[in-house]
Amino acid sequence: MGKNGKFFIPCSIRSISGFLGRVLGTERVSQTYLEFIKMHAGYLLFTNMKSLFVNTLLIRITGDDSMVMKFNLMQFICIPFAYTIGSFYIRRRSLPRAARWGMIFSALFYAIFFLSLNHLALMLPLLSIVTAISFGFYTLSNQSMTVEYCSDDNREAAISISGVVSGVISMSMPIVNGAIISAFPGLSGYYSVFGVSMIIAFFSIRQTKKLPNNHIPGKINFCETIRDALHSRPFILAGLAETFKGIREGVFTFFLNVLLFECIQSELLVGINTFLIGIFSIFGCWLLGRLVRPYNRIQYMCAALISLLCVTCALLLKLNAFTVMLMSVCNSFFTCFTLNPSSSMQFYVVSQMPKSQERKSEYLALKSYFLAAGRVAGVVIVSSMPESAQGSVLGLLAITLLQFGTPIMYYFAVKEAALLPSQQ
C-alpha cells in the first residue's frame, strides 16, 4: 500500500498492459481492430482442437491414412463456393454476422462429427461441406475486417498481433488437451475437450456483437466484379501468387502432424510438437512486426523460403519423430515471413481494385478460387509420390520449390497495382 493507503496493483496492471502493448505494437492499430482480435482469439481457442486432433482421430477410428487426404481435399474444393456464398451474405447483412455464422457452423461440425463416429467414412462429404462453410464465412469476414480496420502501412503490425495471439493459443492449448485426451480411456478425453470448446464458442459468438455492424449499401454484382478482376493484370498476378502459395499451404496445414502421428502414435507428442510450434510462431510473428515493412516484404519472403528449402532437405537424410518436429518448428517460424507478407500484399492489391470499398468481400472470394486450385494441386502432388516416407519428403520438397512463384508474382502484382488510382 502507498502512503495514502491506496494499492499499487491497478497501476502495476496498467504498467504491464502498457508494456505488453509496446512489445506487441498495439499502438499502431485501432481500438476496433483490438476488439476484433478478442473475437479472433476466442475462435482460435475453440477451433484449435478441430485442426489439431480431428485429423489424428480420423486415422485412429478408421485406420485409413488416406481418409485425412480425402477429407482435406473435399474441404479445399468446397471452400471457394463457401467464400462466394459468404460474400453475398456479407453484402446483405454485415461482416460480424458472417463471422458469427462461421463459428456456428464450426460448432455444428463438432456435433456431426461425434454423432457419426461409427460412420465417418459415409459422413466425410457432409463434414467437408460444413467445415468449408465455417471456414469460408469466418475467414472471408476475418480478411475483410483486416482490410477495413487497417491500412497498408500498419497491416504488418496488425497481422503480427494476430499471429502472436494465435501462437500463444497454439502453444498453450494443445499440450494440455493432448494430455487430457491421453489420460482418459477411449474417446472420453476427446468428448471432454470438445465440450469445453463449445462453451468457448458461445462467448466468442457474443464478442462479435461488439464489432461495428456496418452494412455495405447497394446490390452485389458478381458478374461485374469477375469482369473487372479478370481484366486486371495486378489481380491476375496476385491470383497466380495465391495459387503457388496454396500448393504448400494446403498440405502443411495437416500433413506434418499426420506424419508425426505416424512416426509415434501419441496425441500427447502431437500436443508437445504444437507447443513448440507456438513458441517459435510467437517469436516469428513478433519479429515480423518489428522488421517487415511494405518496401522489404519480398526480400524477407525469399530469405524465409530458402531457409525452409534447406530444412526440408534435412528430412531426406533421416525421417523420425525428432526431424519431423524440427521441421514443424522451423516451418512455424519461417512461414510467418512467407504467409503474412503475402496476405498484406494480397490486401493491398484488393484495396487498389475498382470500387474496392464495397466489393472487397467479392474480390477476396474470387481470390479463394486461385488459392483452392493451389491447395488441391499440393495434395495431388504429395499423393502422387511413392507411398513411402522418402516419397512424402520428396513431395514436400517439390511443393516448397514451387512456393518461390509466390514472391515473384507478388512483386509484379504490387508494382502494377501501385499504378492504379487509389480507392481509399
Side-chain angles (χ1 to χ4, degrees):
M1 295 178 66
K3 292 180 180 180
N4 298 324
K6 293 182 179 180
F7 286 100
F8 289 121
I9 293 176
C11 183
S12 299
I13 292 174
R14 284 196 297 270
S15 299
I16 293 170
S17 177
F19 171 74
L20 290 175
R22 288 192 297 274
V23 170
L24 294 175
T26 55
E27 74 280 353
R28 294 182 60 196
V29 299
S30 65
Q31 185 60 40
T32 305
Y33 185 79
L34 294 178
E35 289 295 330
F36 157 74
I37 285 295
K38 292 177 186 177
M39 176 205 73
H40 186 53
Y43 172 80
L44 291 171
L45 279 170
F46 85 86
T47 57
N48 186 272
M49 298 312 305
K50 182 173 71 177
S51 60
L52 181 62
F53 291 116
V54 163
N55 289 322
T56 57
L57 187 56
L58 271 173
I59 298 173
R60 184 179 288 278
I61 291 175
T62 64
D64 184 0
D65 294 354
S66 67
M67 291 293 283
V68 174
M69 286 285 189
K70 292 174 184 176
F71 172 65
N72 284 278
L73 187 59
M74 286 188 283
Q75 180 183 324
F76 294 153
I77 292 170
C78 294
I79 283 174
F81 300 103
Y83 261 82
T84 304
I85 297 168
S87 67
F88 278 90
Y89 184 82
I90 287 170
R91 285 295 290 271
R92 287 183 176 274
R93 300 296 181 183
S94 66
L95 292 171
R97 286 190 179 188
R100 205 173 303 156
W101 276 109
M103 294 180 188
I104 290 170
F105 270 92
S106 190
L108 179 63
F109 169 89
Y110 288 139
I112 296 173
F113 189 90
F114 279 104
L115 289 172
S116 60
L117 283 178
N118 296 325
H119 310 283
L120 279 180
L122 293 174
M123 297 300 290
L124 268 189
L126 177 61
L127 288 170
S128 300
I129 292 171
V130 172
T131 301
I133 294 173
S134 166
F135 185 87
F137 270 63
Y138 181 81
T139 306
L140 179 60
S141 61
N142 181 309
Q143 292 175 346
S144 299
M145 283 188 254
T146 302
V147 174
E148 185 168 320
Y149 301 156
C150 308
S151 67
D152 191 53
D153 290 333
N154 71 350
R155 200 157 283 139
E156 252 75 33
I159 293 175
S160 172
I161 294 168
S162 177
V164 169
V165 170
S166 176
V168 169
I169 292 169
S170 297
M171 177 183 68
S172 58
M173 293 298 291
I175 192 168
V176 175
N177 293 327
I180 293 171
I181 290 171
S182 298
F184 284 89
L187 300 176
S188 301
Y190 282 99
Y191 285 120
S192 302
V193 169
F194 286 132
V196 174
S197 296
M198 291 301 96
I199 297 171
I200 298 172
F202 172 76
F203 287 102
S204 302
I205 291 169
R206 288 190 62 183
Q207 179 64 23
T208 62
K209 296 181 179 180
K210 296 183 180 181
L211 297 172
N213 203 30
N214 298 336
H215 175 70
I216 302 173
K219 292 183 177 181
I220 188 170
N221 190 333
F222 217 77
C223 291
E224 186 179 337
T225 304
I226 293 172
R227 185 197 64 202
D228 289 343
L230 296 182
H231 283 82
S232 168
R233 274 179 57 84
F235 189 89
I236 294 296
L237 289 167
L240 291 173
E242 289 294 297
T243 302
F244 281 111
K245 181 172 83 172
I247 290 173
R248 188 172 191 276
E249 183 192 286
V251 174
F252 274 73
T253 52
F254 66 91
F255 192 74
L256 286 178
N257 268 335
V258 171
L259 200 60
L260 179 62
F261 189 71
E262 288 179 348
C263 291
I264 299 179
Q265 295 211 357
S266 167
E267 281 89 350
L268 179 58
L269 186 61
V270 174
I272 293 172
N273 180 57
T274 310
F275 175 80
L276 295 173
I277 286 173
I279 292 175
F280 281 85
S281 178
I282 291 168
F283 181 59
C285 288
W286 176 81
L287 205 58
L288 171 85
R290 291 289 178 271
L291 299 177
V292 180
R293 295 292 183 269
Y295 62 85
N296 62 12
R297 287 167 178 160
I298 299 294
Q299 292 95 312
Y300 276 103
M301 284 181 72
C302 290
L305 284 172
I306 291 170
S307 301
L308 283 170
L309 190 64
C310 294
V311 176
T312 307
C313 288
L315 289 179
L316 289 171
L317 302 176
K318 192 170 185 63
L319 185 64
N320 54 30
F322 173 77
T323 54
V324 173
M325 290 177 74
L326 178 64
M327 175 65 195
S328 298
V329 166
C330 293
N331 181 66
S332 69
F333 177 80
F334 291 113
T335 297
C336 295
F337 293 89
T338 59
L339 295 185
N340 293 337
S342 68
S343 295
S344 295
M345 289 186 282
Q346 170 203 147
F347 297 149
Y348 174 73
V349 171
V350 167
S351 70
Q352 292 294 97
M353 293 294 291
K355 300 181 181 178
S356 63
Q357 287 298 305
E358 58 208 62
R359 290 185 186 173
K360 55 179 168 286
S361 297
E362 293 97 288
Y363 285 127
L364 289 170
L366 284 176
K367 178 274 307 177
S368 71
Y369 285 88
F370 290 93
L371 186 63
R375 285 171 168 169
V376 171
V379 173
V380 171
I381 289 170
V382 172
S383 302
S384 62
M385 291 293 169
E387 292 187 6
S388 64
Q390 291 299 101
S392 299
V393 175
L394 286 173
L396 296 180
L397 194 61
I399 61 177
T400 302
L401 278 169
L402 288 171
Q403 185 75 6
F404 281 91
T406 303
I408 294 171
M409 291 297 170
Y410 264 127
Y411 171 79
F412 292 105
V414 170
K415 193 174 182 179
E416 296 204 17
L419 301 176
L420 298 175
S422 176
Q423 301 292 320
Q424 297 294 326

